[in-house]
């Protein structure tokens, strides 16, 4: 993985959920390098809505999205969790 790659979270973890990030959400790697096996990932919503989070996610908890991301997926998942 590298800077600006689109990724999806493939696990549900409390430490991510506390920041509003859940399994299936899609984001963009936001720093040039990983730190201790984790990437800084930016999670947005579609249009002018506020961002969800920018948090560190372990590489093994991510999968690469070669065709880009869709922020509408994040909105749908966020709504499922009542956030």
């Amino acid at each position: 993985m590298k800077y600006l790659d689109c990724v999806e979270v493939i696990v549900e973890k409390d430490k991510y959920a506390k920041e509003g990030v859940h399994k299936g959400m899609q984001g963009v790697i936001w720093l040039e390098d990983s730190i201790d096996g984790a990437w800084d990932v930016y999670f947005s919503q579609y249009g002018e809505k506020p961002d969800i989070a920018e948090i560190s996610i372990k590489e093994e908890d991510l999968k690469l999205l070669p065709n880009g991301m869709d922020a509408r997926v994040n909105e749908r998942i966020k709504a499922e969790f009542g956030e």
Side-chain angles (χ1 to χ4, degrees), residues 35-68:
I35 300 170
D36 296 326
W39 292 96
D40 186 72
V41 182
Y42 172 76
F43 296 89
S44 64
Q45 295 188 83
Y46 190 73
E48 298 296 317
K49 296 178 182 166
D51 300 330
I52 295 169
E54 181 180 335
I55 64 170
S56 181
I57 306 273
K58 287 285 191 185
E59 185 165 341
E60 63 262 19
D61 295 342
L62 297 168
K63 78 172 182 180
L64 189 61
L65 296 174
N67 297 320

Side-chain angles (χ1 to χ4, degrees), residues 11-41:
V11 296
E12 183 71 21
K13 288 190 173 178
D14 287 340
K15 66 181 176 179
Y16 304 153
K18 288 178 184 176
E19 301 296 329
V21 175
H22 301 280
K23 181 180 178 181
M25 285 190 163
Q26 300 177 1
V28 176
I29 293 179
W30 212 236
L31 292 178
E32 300 265 342
D33 298 307
S34 67
I35 300 170
D36 296 326
W39 292 96
D40 186 72
V41 182

